Amino acid sequence: MENNFIPDTILSKAIDMSPIGVFGYAFDYQNTIALLDFCKDKQIAILEGDALELKKKNFHIHMKIGS
């Protein structure tokens, strides 16, 4: 998957989600914080994101319904 802005130091620790049909990456907690810090420093807005949990090599979706 092409990356235009995420630093290689963070991206190298990402989980590519394309094998399950999702265009994006997943990060563990520590690397999520590093990515958020990077976005804050560069003033990159994050509009929304999904919360997924990896259990026994399967992703589980945590959905928030409503506002």
Side-chain angles (χ1 to χ4, degrees):
M1 184 179 315
E2 185 178 335
N3 166 51
N4 294 323
F5 70 91
I6 300 173
D8 289 338
T9 55
I10 297 172
L11 192 61
S12 66
K13 298 172 184 158
I15 300 167
D16 182 4
M17 301 295 286
S18 62
I20 63 168
V22 176
F23 181 74
Y25 301 98
F27 296 90
D28 65 13
Y29 180 80
Q30 184 176 10
N31 292 304
T32 298
I33 299 301
L35 181 59
L36 291 173
D37 288 341
F38 169 79
C39 290
K40 181 180 176 185
D41 291 345
K42 299 292 182 186
Q43 297 182 343
I44 297 171
I46 300 172
L47 301 178
E48 188 174 317
D50 296 322
L52 303 172
E53 184 176 12
L54 182 61
K55 287 185 178 180
K56 298 181 183 180
K57 299 185 181 183
N58 292 307
F59 282 98
H60 299 269
I61 300 172
H62 296 273
M63 297 185 74
K64 179 181 174 185
I65 299 173
S67 299

